[in-house]
Amino acid sequence: MTRQQDGGKCRVVVLISGSGTNLQALIDAAARDDASFSVCSVISNKPGAYGLARAGDAGIAAVAIDHRDYGDRETFDRALMEEIDCHRPDLVVLAGFMRILTPEFVRHYSGRLLNIHPSLLPKYQGLNTHARALEAGDPEHGVTVHFVTEELDGGPTIVQAAIPVKDDDTPDTLARRIQVQEHVIYPLAVSWFAEGRLRMVEDRCQLDGEFLPRSGHRIEN
Ligand code: NHR
Ligand code: GAR
């Protein structure tokens, strides 16, 4: 099906590794009458990921491609690309996907590949972001949606949501409050893209024809 045959909706493939609460937020947003996108496939690199069951419950094609079955990152990523491209996506969304992707993969989906990262990038690229923000005594913490480029967690920022850090926060309590924000900003960013309002132009984001600041569109809480 072309985009027109699909009711004009933007076709989204979601990659996951775990529980898939961000996937669920996208599925729920796509179920609205006025949704501009549809989730056409879910792929996990972890066979037992609960997100696969969420996809099944929503009637969405879901498969696991176990990275451990492949000798190196290049062959795993090629298998992933082959499966993704069967669904002819307009957009590929990483939602708690935990495998670093090769430059070949990232180039193939350049400008149509998004990630959500639980920190106010450029702070805390990589893993264990909540513990690192607490350790540093940061007064605020947050989450970022960005275009994926070859630089890990370094592509242009689309939107950030910030929350205040409380004295008695732990990595778990922070993660819980950040996830509430994730479930707001990821459907928002995907809708912008699906409506043709958001583009990556060189190393910047354009929303409605205007360049966003390097820190993206910011939501305070
Ligand atoms: N790939 C590229 N090329 N660029 C990015 O910006 C990417 C990416 C793949 C995933 C998500 C990212 C995050 O939001 C993401 C962004 C996993 C790791 C990691 O170290 C790092 C960053 C992210 C995701 N993964 C280990 C690996 O060896 C495996 C860890 C595990 O399995 O638990 O790939 O934080
Ligand atoms: C989310 O908090 C997301 O920000 C984070 O993993 C969680 C996935 O949750 N992503 C990363 O840490 C990427 N390295 P979910 O599976 O319930 O959507």
Side-chain angles (χ1 to χ4, degrees):
M1 254 191 309
T2 66
R3 192 153 163 182
Q4 281 67 37
Q5 288 167 322
D6 201 26
K9 289 191 185 188
C10 174
R11 296 172 58 81
V12 179
V13 168
V14 181
L15 305 189
I16 61 166
S17 300
S19 76
T21 62
N22 280 287
L23 165 67
Q24 190 68 58
L26 293 168
I27 290 172
D28 293 346
R32 296 170 46 116
D33 287 340
D34 59 351
S36 52
F37 64 91
S38 70
V39 178
C40 54
S41 153
V42 173
I43 306 168
S44 172
N45 69 303
K46 296 241 170 117
Y50 183 62
L52 291 170
R54 295 180 188 272
D57 288 347
I60 297 165
V63 293
I65 300 179
D66 191 337
H67 61 277
R68 292 169 303 186
D69 294 342
Y70 297 84
D72 54 35
R73 285 186 195 264
E74 284 71 23
T75 36
F76 169 66
D77 278 15
R78 281 190 201 121
L80 201 53
M81 283 190 266
E82 209 166 291
E83 174 62 28
I84 293 169
D85 288 344
C86 286
H87 301 277
R88 282 171 297 94
D90 299 299
L91 180 67
V92 178
V93 167
L94 310 182
F97 182 72
M98 296 308 290
R99 296 300 297 174
I100 295 172
L101 296 161
T102 56
E104 182 189 355
F105 183 102
V106 171
R107 275 198 297 270
H108 184 65
Y109 300 105
S110 179
R112 50 190 184 116
L113 181 58
L114 306 187
N115 179 43
I116 190 158
H117 181 78
S119 77
L120 294 171
L121 289 171
K123 278 192 157 185
Y124 313 125
Q125 298 172 341
L127 305 178
N128 303 315
T129 55
H130 307 309
R132 288 156 70 199
L134 281 176
E135 180 90 354
D138 290 356
E140 62 166 17
H141 184 41
V143 56
T144 301
V145 176
H146 64 94
F147 282 103
V148 174
T149 63
E150 288 176 44
E151 188 194 344
L152 188 65
D153 296 328
T157 289
I158 299 161
V159 53
Q160 292 192 319
I163 60 162
V165 176
K166 297 179 185 167
D167 287 341
D168 58 352
D169 265 324
T170 64
D172 272 1
T173 61
L174 262 185
R176 261 197 288 279
R177 292 212 306 292
I178 296 278
Q179 279 220 333
V180 175
Q181 301 302 315
E182 295 188 1
H183 303 158
V184 174
I185 68 170
Y186 222 178
L188 178 66
V190 170
S191 306
W192 285 344
F193 185 92
E195 289 158 12
R197 298 174 57 192
L198 173 70
R199 291 199 302 151
M200 184 170 89
V201 180
E202 285 158 18
D203 63 340
R204 300 291 295 270
C205 294
Q206 249 184 20
L207 182 63
D208 296 330
E210 307 267 1
F211 282 107
L212 289 173
R214 294 268 177 205
S215 54
H217 178 87
R218 189 174 160 105
I219 294 172
E220 302 287 345
N221 288 281

